[in-house]
mmCIF file of all heavy atoms in Angstrom:
data_model
loop_
_atom_site.group_PDB
_atom_site.id
_atom_site.type_symbol
_atom_site.label_atom_id
_atom_site.label_comp_id
_atom_site.label_asym_id
_atom_site.label_seq_id
_atom_site.Cartn_x
_atom_site.Cartn_y
_atom_site.Cartn_z
ATOM 1 N N ILE A 1 0.873 -1.176 0.000
ATOM 2 C CA ILE A 1 0.000 0.000 0.000
ATOM 3 C C ILE A 1 0.911 1.228 0.000
ATOM 4 O O ILE A 1 1.833 1.322 0.807
ATOM 5 C CB ILE A 1 -0.898 0.033 1.247
ATOM 6 C CG1 ILE A 1 -1.831 -1.181 1.277
ATOM 7 C CG2 ILE A 1 -1.708 1.337 1.299
ATOM 8 C CD1 ILE A 1 -2.602 -1.321 2.586
ATOM 9 N N GLU A 2 0.658 2.171 -0.915
ATOM 10 C CA GLU A 2 1.464 3.395 -0.945
ATOM 11 C C GLU A 2 0.555 4.601 -1.116
ATOM 12 O O GLU A 2 -0.342 4.620 -1.963
ATOM 13 C CB GLU A 2 2.489 3.361 -2.081
ATOM 14 C CG GLU A 2 3.350 4.623 -2.127
ATOM 15 C CD GLU A 2 4.549 4.512 -3.055
ATOM 16 O OE1 GLU A 2 4.834 3.403 -3.550
ATOM 17 O OE2 GLU A 2 5.218 5.548 -3.289
ATOM 18 N N TYR A 3 0.810 5.599 -0.284
ATOM 19 C CA TYR A 3 0.080 6.867 -0.331
ATOM 20 C C TYR A 3 1.120 7.967 -0.502
ATOM 21 O O TYR A 3 2.072 8.057 0.281
ATOM 22 C CB TYR A 3 -0.708 7.068 0.954
ATOM 23 C CG TYR A 3 -1.476 8.368 1.068
ATOM 24 C CD1 TYR A 3 -2.672 8.553 0.383
ATOM 25 C CD2 TYR A 3 -1.021 9.404 1.869
ATOM 26 C CE1 TYR A 3 -3.388 9.729 0.495
ATOM 27 C CE2 TYR A 3 -1.722 10.588 1.998
ATOM 28 C CZ TYR A 3 -2.914 10.744 1.304
ATOM 29 O OH TYR A 3 -3.624 11.921 1.424
ATOM 30 N N ARG A 4 0.971 8.811 -1.523
ATOM 31 C CA ARG A 4 2.013 9.774 -1.869
ATOM 32 C C ARG A 4 1.441 11.171 -2.015
ATOM 33 O O ARG A 4 0.343 11.355 -2.540
ATOM 34 C CB ARG A 4 2.672 9.349 -3.195
ATOM 35 C CG ARG A 4 3.802 10.252 -3.676
ATOM 36 C CD ARG A 4 4.549 9.586 -4.822
ATOM 37 N NE ARG A 4 5.590 10.459 -5.351
ATOM 38 C CZ ARG A 4 5.489 11.153 -6.493
ATOM 39 N NH1 ARG A 4 4.384 11.044 -7.215
ATOM 40 N NH2 ARG A 4 6.468 11.918 -6.902
ATOM 41 N N LEU A 5 2.194 12.138 -1.539
ATOM 42 C CA LEU A 5 1.851 13.549 -1.697
ATOM 43 C C LEU A 5 2.996 14.278 -2.376
ATOM 44 O O LEU A 5 4.172 14.057 -2.038
ATOM 45 C CB LEU A 5 1.591 14.202 -0.342
ATOM 46 C CG LEU A 5 0.371 13.740 0.457
ATOM 47 C CD1 LEU A 5 0.346 14.432 1.808
ATOM 48 C CD2 LEU A 5 -0.909 14.015 -0.303
ATOM 49 N N GLN A 6 2.663 15.164 -3.290
ATOM 50 C CA GLN A 6 3.647 16.041 -3.926
ATOM 51 C C GLN A 6 3.091 17.451 -3.860
ATOM 52 O O GLN A 6 2.130 17.790 -4.552
ATOM 53 C CB GLN A 6 3.900 15.620 -5.377
ATOM 54 C CG GLN A 6 5.074 16.336 -6.021
ATOM 55 C CD GLN A 6 5.462 15.707 -7.351
ATOM 56 O OE1 GLN A 6 4.952 14.647 -7.723
ATOM 57 N NE2 GLN A 6 6.358 16.356 -8.073
ATOM 58 N N LEU A 7 3.684 18.276 -3.004
ATOM 59 C CA LEU A 7 3.104 19.557 -2.644
ATOM 60 C C LEU A 7 3.947 20.712 -3.152
ATOM 61 O O LEU A 7 5.133 20.819 -2.820
ATOM 62 C CB LEU A 7 2.976 19.663 -1.114
ATOM 63 C CG LEU A 7 2.364 18.454 -0.413
ATOM 64 C CD1 LEU A 7 2.366 18.676 1.093
ATOM 65 C CD2 LEU A 7 0.963 18.170 -0.926
ATOM 66 N N GLU A 8 3.324 21.599 -3.903
ATOM 67 C CA GLU A 8 4.028 22.792 -4.371
ATOM 68 C C GLU A 8 4.162 23.817 -3.252
ATOM 69 O O GLU A 8 5.113 24.602 -3.225
ATOM 70 C CB GLU A 8 3.291 23.394 -5.562
ATOM 71 C CG GLU A 8 4.066 24.475 -6.287
ATOM 72 C CD GLU A 8 3.425 24.848 -7.606
ATOM 73 O OE1 GLU A 8 3.171 23.943 -8.420
ATOM 74 O OE2 GLU A 8 3.175 26.055 -7.814
ATOM 75 N N SER A 9 3.199 23.820 -2.325
ATOM 76 C CA SER A 9 3.255 24.723 -1.174
ATOM 77 C C SER A 9 2.852 23.960 0.075
ATOM 78 O O SER A 9 1.666 23.656 0.264
ATOM 79 C CB SER A 9 2.334 25.928 -1.358
ATOM 80 O OG SER A 9 2.242 26.671 -0.144
ATOM 81 N N ASN A 10 3.820 23.654 0.905
ATOM 82 C CA ASN A 10 3.566 22.964 2.167
ATOM 83 C C ASN A 10 2.572 23.743 3.038
ATOM 84 O O ASN A 10 1.571 23.183 3.503
ATOM 85 C CB ASN A 10 4.894 22.742 2.889
ATOM 86 C CG ASN A 10 4.783 21.913 4.153
ATOM 87 O OD1 ASN A 10 3.706 21.517 4.564
ATOM 88 N ND2 ASN A 10 5.908 21.656 4.791
ATOM 89 N N PRO A 11 2.781 25.046 3.292
ATOM 90 C CA PRO A 11 1.851 25.751 4.184
ATOM 91 C C PRO A 11 0.438 25.879 3.621
ATOM 92 O O PRO A 11 -0.536 25.829 4.382
ATOM 93 C CB PRO A 11 2.504 27.121 4.386
ATOM 94 C CG PRO A 11 3.453 27.282 3.265
ATOM 95 C CD PRO A 11 3.930 25.900 2.926
ATOM 96 N N GLU A 12 0.297 26.036 2.310
ATOM 97 C CA GLU A 12 -1.057 26.131 1.757
ATOM 98 C C GLU A 12 -1.782 24.798 1.870
ATOM 99 O O GLU A 12 -2.978 24.753 2.186
ATOM 100 C CB GLU A 12 -1.005 26.597 0.303
ATOM 101 C CG GLU A 12 -0.662 28.067 0.157
ATOM 102 C CD GLU A 12 -0.764 28.553 -1.279
ATOM 103 O OE1 GLU A 12 -1.308 27.810 -2.134
ATOM 104 O OE2 GLU A 12 -0.307 29.673 -1.545
ATOM 105 N N PHE A 13 -1.079 23.696 1.631
ATOM 106 C CA PHE A 13 -1.710 22.388 1.770
ATOM 107 C C PHE A 13 -2.044 22.107 3.232
ATOM 108 O O PHE A 13 -3.153 21.673 3.557
ATOM 109 C CB PHE A 13 -0.793 21.295 1.217
ATOM 110 C CG PHE A 13 -1.428 19.931 1.221
ATOM 111 C CD1 PHE A 13 -2.252 19.525 0.187
ATOM 112 C CD2 PHE A 13 -1.207 19.055 2.266
ATOM 113 C CE1 PHE A 13 -2.854 18.275 0.189
ATOM 114 C CE2 PHE A 13 -1.799 17.806 2.290
ATOM 115 C CZ PHE A 13 -2.622 17.403 1.247
ATOM 116 N N THR A 14 -1.086 22.367 4.124
ATOM 117 C CA THR A 14 -1.328 22.150 5.553
ATOM 118 C C THR A 14 -2.480 23.017 6.037
ATOM 119 O O THR A 14 -3.325 22.577 6.831
ATOM 120 C CB THR A 14 -0.059 22.443 6.356
ATOM 121 O OG1 THR A 14 0.989 21.588 5.905
ATOM 122 C CG2 THR A 14 -0.282 22.200 7.850
ATOM 123 N N GLY A 15 -2.547 24.252 5.562
ATOM 124 C CA GLY A 15 -3.665 25.125 5.918
ATOM 125 C C GLY A 15 -4.997 24.556 5.489
ATOM 126 O O GLY A 15 -6.005 24.667 6.213
ATOM 127 N N SER A 16 -5.031 23.906 4.337
ATOM 128 C CA SER A 16 -6.264 23.293 3.863
ATOM 129 C C SER A 16 -6.681 22.118 4.745
ATOM 130 O O SER A 16 -7.878 21.909 4.998
ATOM 131 C CB SER A 16 -6.092 22.827 2.409
ATOM 132 O OG SER A 16 -5.903 23.930 1.551
ATOM 133 N N VAL A 17 -5.701 21.346 5.221
ATOM 134 C CA VAL A 17 -6.019 20.241 6.129
ATOM 135 C C VAL A 17 -6.548 20.798 7.454
ATOM 136 O O VAL A 17 -7.544 20.299 8.007
ATOM 137 C CB VAL A 17 -4.777 19.360 6.372
ATOM 138 C CG1 VAL A 17 -5.134 18.194 7.297
ATOM 139 C CG2 VAL A 17 -4.217 18.822 5.060
ATOM 140 N N LEU A 18 -5.911 21.834 7.968
ATOM 141 C CA LEU A 18 -6.349 22.442 9.220
ATOM 142 C C LEU A 18 -7.792 22.930 9.134
ATOM 143 O O LEU A 18 -8.585 22.748 10.064
ATOM 144 C CB LEU A 18 -5.423 23.600 9.586
ATOM 145 C CG LEU A 18 -4.058 23.211 10.161
ATOM 146 C CD1 LEU A 18 -3.080 24.369 10.055
ATOM 147 C CD2 LEU A 18 -4.198 22.781 11.617
ATOM 148 N N ILE A 19 -8.150 23.524 8.000
ATOM 149 C CA ILE A 19 -9.493 24.066 7.844
ATOM 150 C C ILE A 19 -10.539 22.947 7.786
ATOM 151 O O ILE A 19 -11.648 23.067 8.326
ATOM 152 C CB ILE A 19 -9.557 24.974 6.599
ATOM 153 C CG1 ILE A 19 -8.966 26.336 6.936
ATOM 154 C CG2 ILE A 19 -10.967 25.131 6.093
ATOM 155 C CD1 ILE A 19 -9.589 27.014 8.149
ATOM 156 N N ALA A 20 -10.193 21.826 7.159
ATOM 157 C CA ALA A 20 -11.124 20.692 7.150
ATOM 158 C C ALA A 20 -11.388 20.202 8.568
ATOM 159 O O ALA A 20 -12.535 19.901 8.939
ATOM 160 C CB ALA A 20 -10.563 19.562 6.289
ATOM 161 N N TYR A 21 -10.334 20.155 9.384
ATOM 162 C CA TYR A 21 -10.510 19.687 10.761
ATOM 163 C C TYR A 21 -11.124 20.766 11.652
ATOM 164 O O TYR A 21 -11.745 20.443 12.673
ATOM 165 C CB TYR A 21 -9.189 19.161 11.320
ATOM 166 C CG TYR A 21 -8.946 17.741 10.857
ATOM 167 C CD1 TYR A 21 -8.312 17.483 9.655
ATOM 168 C CD2 TYR A 21 -9.404 16.657 11.603
ATOM 169 C CE1 TYR A 21 -8.123 16.180 9.201
ATOM 170 C CE2 TYR A 21 -9.220 15.357 11.163
ATOM 171 C CZ TYR A 21 -8.582 15.124 9.958
ATOM 172 O OH TYR A 21 -8.420 13.837 9.519
ATOM 173 N N ALA A 22 -10.988 22.032 11.273
ATOM 174 C CA ALA A 22 -11.711 23.084 11.993
ATOM 175 C C ALA A 22 -13.212 22.886 11.832
ATOM 176 O O ALA A 22 -13.996 23.109 12.764
ATOM 177 C CB ALA A 22 -11.285 24.455 11.478
ATOM 178 N N ARG A 23 -13.626 22.448 10.647
ATOM 179 C CA ARG A 23 -15.045 22.148 10.414
ATOM 180 C C ARG A 23 -15.498 21.035 11.356
ATOM 181 O O ARG A 23 -16.575 21.093 11.957
ATOM 182 C CB ARG A 23 -15.245 21.748 8.954
ATOM 183 C CG ARG A 23 -16.684 21.420 8.583
ATOM 184 C CD ARG A 23 -16.807 21.076 7.107
ATOM 185 N NE ARG A 23 -16.550 22.229 6.253
ATOM 186 C CZ ARG A 23 -15.514 22.329 5.420
ATOM 187 N NH1 ARG A 23 -14.629 21.345 5.328
ATOM 188 N NH2 ARG A 23 -15.351 23.411 4.680
ATOM 189 N N ALA A 24 -14.645 20.012 11.509
ATOM 190 C CA ALA A 24 -14.988 18.905 12.413
ATOM 191 C C ALA A 24 -15.067 19.385 13.860
ATOM 192 O O ALA A 24 -15.974 18.983 14.605
ATOM 193 C CB ALA A 24 -13.956 17.793 12.273
ATOM 194 N N ALA A 25 -14.134 20.233 14.264
ATOM 195 C CA ALA A 25 -14.152 20.745 15.636
ATOM 196 C C ALA A 25 -15.430 21.524 15.905
ATOM 197 O O ALA A 25 -16.041 21.409 16.982
ATOM 198 C CB ALA A 25 -12.930 21.624 15.879
ATOM 199 N N PHE A 26 -15.838 22.325 14.949
ATOM 200 C CA PHE A 26 -17.084 23.095 15.083
ATOM 201 C C PHE A 26 -18.272 22.164 15.280
ATOM 202 O O PHE A 26 -19.121 22.379 16.157
ATOM 203 C CB PHE A 26 -17.275 23.958 13.832
ATOM 204 C CG PHE A 26 -18.608 24.625 13.735
ATOM 205 C CD1 PHE A 26 -18.908 25.745 14.491
ATOM 206 C CD2 PHE A 26 -19.584 24.125 12.872
ATOM 207 C CE1 PHE A 26 -20.145 26.365 14.396
ATOM 208 C CE2 PHE A 26 -20.825 24.732 12.760
ATOM 209 C CZ PHE A 26 -21.107 25.855 13.531
ATOM 210 N N ARG A 27 -18.326 21.096 14.495
ATOM 211 C CA ARG A 27 -19.456 20.164 14.588
ATOM 212 C C ARG A 27 -19.438 19.389 15.903
ATOM 213 O O ARG A 27 -20.486 19.147 16.504
ATOM 214 C CB ARG A 27 -19.432 19.218 13.392
ATOM 215 C CG ARG A 27 -19.780 19.924 12.082
ATOM 216 C CD ARG A 27 -19.600 19.031 10.881
ATOM 217 N NE ARG A 27 -20.122 19.669 9.674
ATOM 218 C CZ ARG A 27 -19.967 19.188 8.444
ATOM 219 N NH1 ARG A 27 -19.291 18.054 8.261
ATOM 220 N NH2 ARG A 27 -20.463 19.830 7.402
ATOM 221 N N LEU A 28 -18.247 18.998 16.355
ATOM 222 C CA LEU A 28 -18.155 18.306 17.647
ATOM 223 C C LEU A 28 -18.604 19.218 18.777
ATOM 224 O O LEU A 28 -19.303 18.785 19.702
ATOM 225 C CB LEU A 28 -16.724 17.828 17.881
ATOM 226 C CG LEU A 28 -16.227 16.698 16.987
ATOM 227 C CD1 LEU A 28 -14.751 16.416 17.280
ATOM 228 C CD2 LEU A 28 -17.048 15.432 17.178
ATOM 229 N N ALA A 29 -18.194 20.484 18.726
ATOM 230 C CA ALA A 29 -18.600 21.439 19.760
ATOM 231 C C ALA A 29 -20.113 21.630 19.763
ATOM 232 O O ALA A 29 -20.734 21.735 20.832
ATOM 233 C CB ALA A 29 -17.880 22.774 19.548
ATOM 234 N N LYS A 30 -20.712 21.662 18.571
ATOM 235 C CA LYS A 30 -22.166 21.805 18.470
ATOM 236 C C LYS A 30 -22.884 20.624 19.123
ATOM 237 O O LYS A 30 -23.993 20.767 19.652
ATOM 238 C CB LYS A 30 -22.580 21.920 16.999
ATOM 239 C CG LYS A 30 -22.346 23.278 16.382
ATOM 240 C CD LYS A 30 -23.359 24.289 16.899
ATOM 241 C CE LYS A 30 -23.277 25.607 16.151
ATOM 242 N NZ LYS A 30 -24.236 26.602 16.692
ATOM 243 N N LYS A 31 -22.245 19.451 19.094
ATOM 244 C CA LYS A 31 -22.839 18.251 19.689
ATOM 245 C C LYS A 31 -22.577 18.165 21.191
ATOM 246 O O LYS A 31 -23.014 17.231 21.849
ATOM 247 C CB LYS A 31 -22.279 17.003 19.011
ATOM 248 C CG LYS A 31 -22.731 16.825 17.573
ATOM 249 C CD LYS A 31 -21.933 15.752 16.859
ATOM 250 C CE LYS A 31 -22.091 14.403 17.523
ATOM 251 N NZ LYS A 31 -21.352 13.340 16.774
ATOM 252 N N GLY A 32 -21.810 19.134 21.711
ATOM 253 C CA GLY A 32 -21.546 19.159 23.138
ATOM 254 C C GLY A 32 -20.326 18.381 23.576
ATOM 255 O O GLY A 32 -20.105 18.185 24.775
ATOM 256 N N GLU A 33 -19.505 17.935 22.619
ATOM 257 C CA GLU A 33 -18.295 17.209 22.989
ATOM 258 C C GLU A 33 -17.234 18.188 23.498
ATOM 259 O O GLU A 33 -17.223 19.371 23.146
ATOM 260 C CB GLU A 33 -17.768 16.400 21.810
ATOM 261 C CG GLU A 33 -18.705 15.294 21.383
ATOM 262 C CD GLU A 33 -18.006 14.222 20.554
ATOM 263 O OE1 GLU A 33 -16.770 14.065 20.702
ATOM 264 O OE2 GLU A 33 -18.708 13.547 19.777
ATOM 265 N N THR A 34 -16.315 17.677 24.314
ATOM 266 C CA THR A 34 -15.224 18.489 24.846
ATOM 267 C C THR A 34 -13.942 17.665 24.830
ATOM 268 O O THR A 34 -13.946 16.473 24.557
ATOM 269 C CB THR A 34 -15.513 18.940 26.291
ATOM 270 O OG1 THR A 34 -15.675 17.776 27.117
ATOM 271 C CG2 THR A 34 -16.776 19.795 26.363
ATOM 272 N N GLY A 35 -12.840 18.324 25.158
ATOM 273 C CA GLY A 35 -11.566 17.628 25.281
ATOM 274 C C GLY A 35 -10.759 17.643 24.004
ATOM 275 O O GLY A 35 -11.142 18.226 22.988
ATOM 276 N N CYS A 36 -9.602 16.986 24.075
ATOM 277 C CA CYS A 36 -8.659 16.976 22.963
ATOM 278 C C CYS A 36 -8.854 15.739 22.094
ATOM 279 O O CYS A 36 -9.207 14.660 22.589
ATOM 280 C CB CYS A 36 -7.230 17.027 23.498
ATOM 281 S SG CYS A 36 -5.984 17.346 22.218
ATOM 282 N N HIS A 37 -8.621 15.904 20.803
ATOM 283 C CA HIS A 37 -8.745 14.828 19.830
ATOM 284 C C HIS A 37 -7.541 14.860 18.892
ATOM 285 O O HIS A 37 -6.826 15.857 18.817
ATOM 286 C CB HIS A 37 -10.020 14.985 18.988
ATOM 287 C CG HIS A 37 -11.285 15.077 19.787
ATOM 288 N ND1 HIS A 37 -11.598 16.187 20.558
ATOM 289 C CD2 HIS A 37 -12.315 14.212 19.936
ATOM 290 C CE1 HIS A 37 -12.768 15.982 21.153
ATOM 291 N NE2 HIS A 37 -13.225 14.795 20.786
ATOM 292 N N THR A 38 -7.354 13.756 18.161
ATOM 293 C CA THR A 38 -6.405 13.730 17.044
ATOM 294 C C THR A 38 -7.168 13.285 15.807
ATOM 295 O O THR A 38 -8.361 12.973 15.870
ATOM 296 C CB THR A 38 -5.225 12.771 17.308
ATOM 297 O OG1 THR A 38 -5.691 11.409 17.210
ATOM 298 C CG2 THR A 38 -4.601 13.016 18.666
ATOM 299 N N VAL A 39 -6.467 13.211 14.684
ATOM 300 C CA VAL A 39 -7.124 12.791 13.450
ATOM 301 C C VAL A 39 -7.701 11.381 13.570
ATOM 302 O O VAL A 39 -8.668 11.035 12.867
ATOM 303 C CB VAL A 39 -6.159 12.863 12.250
ATOM 304 C CG1 VAL A 39 -5.753 14.305 11.981
ATOM 305 C CG2 VAL A 39 -4.931 11.977 12.452
ATOM 306 N N PHE A 40 -7.150 10.561 14.470
ATOM 307 C CA PHE A 40 -7.671 9.204 14.646
ATOM 308 C C PHE A 40 -9.106 9.204 15.179
ATOM 309 O O PHE A 40 -9.836 8.236 14.992
ATOM 310 C CB PHE A 40 -6.791 8.412 15.615
ATOM 311 C CG PHE A 40 -5.393 8.149 15.122
ATOM 312 C CD1 PHE A 40 -4.344 8.071 16.026
ATOM 313 C CD2 PHE A 40 -5.117 7.970 13.776
ATOM 314 C CE1 PHE A 40 -3.053 7.819 15.593
ATOM 315 C CE2 PHE A 40 -3.836 7.717 13.329
ATOM 316 C CZ PHE A 40 -2.788 7.642 14.231
ATOM 317 N N ASP A 41 -9.496 10.255 15.858
ATOM 318 C CA ASP A 41 -10.792 10.303 16.532
ATOM 319 C C ASP A 41 -11.898 10.928 15.687
ATOM 320 O O ASP A 41 -13.051 10.948 16.116
ATOM 321 C CB ASP A 41 -10.667 11.113 17.829
ATOM 322 C CG ASP A 41 -9.517 10.641 18.701
ATOM 323 O OD1 ASP A 41 -9.446 9.431 18.960
ATOM 324 O OD2 ASP A 41 -8.685 11.483 19.098
ATOM 325 N N ILE A 42 -11.554 11.456 14.524
ATOM 326 C CA ILE A 42 -12.511 12.253 13.753
ATOM 327 C C ILE A 42 -13.079 11.438 12.595
ATOM 328 O O ILE A 42 -12.333 10.956 11.738
ATOM 329 C CB ILE A 42 -11.831 13.526 13.201
ATOM 330 C CG1 ILE A 42 -11.158 14.315 14.328
ATOM 331 C CG2 ILE A 42 -12.845 14.385 12.455
ATOM 332 C CD1 ILE A 42 -12.078 14.762 15.433
ATOM 333 N N ALA A 43 -14.407 11.286 12.551
ATOM 334 C CA ALA A 43 -15.046 10.592 11.436
ATOM 335 C C ALA A 43 -14.844 11.379 10.148
ATOM 336 O O ALA A 43 -14.987 12.607 10.134
ATOM 337 C CB ALA A 43 -16.541 10.423 11.716
ATOM 338 N N PRO A 44 -14.502 10.720 9.042
ATOM 339 C CA PRO A 44 -14.236 11.443 7.794
ATOM 340 C C PRO A 44 -15.370 12.353 7.354
ATOM 341 O O PRO A 44 -15.127 13.433 6.796
ATOM 342 C CB PRO A 44 -13.996 10.310 6.787
ATOM 343 C CG PRO A 44 -13.501 9.170 7.597
ATOM 344 C CD PRO A 44 -14.220 9.273 8.914
ATOM 345 N N ALA A 45 -16.620 11.937 7.587
ATOM 346 C CA ALA A 45 -17.743 12.757 7.136
ATOM 347 C C ALA A 45 -17.774 14.128 7.801
ATOM 348 O O ALA A 45 -18.314 15.086 7.235
ATOM 349 C CB ALA A 45 -19.065 12.023 7.401
ATOM 350 N N LEU A 46 -17.183 14.252 8.998
ATOM 351 C CA LEU A 46 -17.173 15.542 9.690
ATOM 352 C C LEU A 46 -16.280 16.567 9.002
ATOM 353 O O LEU A 46 -16.382 17.765 9.264
ATOM 354 C CB LEU A 46 -16.708 15.358 11.136
ATOM 355 C CG LEU A 46 -17.621 14.555 12.065
ATOM 356 C CD1 LEU A 46 -16.976 14.424 13.445
ATOM 357 C CD2 LEU A 46 -18.992 15.209 12.172
ATOM 358 N N LEU A 47 -15.399 16.102 8.123
ATOM 359 C CA LEU A 47 -14.472 17.007 7.443
ATOM 360 C C LEU A 47 -15.093 17.698 6.237
ATOM 361 O O LEU A 47 -14.572 18.710 5.763
ATOM 362 C CB LEU A 47 -13.231 16.241 6.962
ATOM 363 C CG LEU A 47 -12.485 15.405 7.995
ATOM 364 C CD1 LEU A 47 -11.356 14.630 7.320
ATOM 365 C CD2 LEU A 47 -11.930 16.286 9.103
ATOM 366 N N MET A 48 -16.181 17.154 5.749
ATOM 367 C CA MET A 48 -16.747 17.596 4.480
ATOM 368 C C MET A 48 -17.932 18.537 4.676
ATOM 369 O O MET A 48 -18.748 18.339 5.583
ATOM 370 C CB MET A 48 -17.213 16.375 3.681
ATOM 371 C CG MET A 48 -16.094 15.412 3.314
ATOM 372 S SD MET A 48 -14.980 16.114 2.081
ATOM 373 C CE MET A 48 -16.050 16.086 0.628
#
């Protein structure tokens, strides 16, 4: 199994990932969840 990234701008790509997870954080907060999470804890649908 191989997963590959080729990025012309590291900060722009990383910023895009951060914003997807900001959407997830907003939705978790709306549901009343608290505490710290990592990407392992976030359902993919929450990113979209």
Side-chain angles (χ1 to χ4, degrees):
I1 298 171
E2 180 169 351
Y3 178 77
R4 181 169 177 257
L5 294 176
Q6 190 169 352
L7 313 177
E8 191 169 307
S9 171
N10 186 357
E12 287 186 11
F13 185 84
T14 301
S16 295
V17 181
L18 284 161
I19 281 306
Y21 278 87
R23 180 178 292 114
F26 171 77
R27 290 173 172 172
L28 291 176
K30 282 287 188 182
K31 291 168 61 177
E33 295 199 25
T34 60
C36 191
H37 304 70
T38 72
V39 295
F40 295 148
D41 309 309
I42 306 301
L46 294 178
L47 307 175
M48 298 290 289

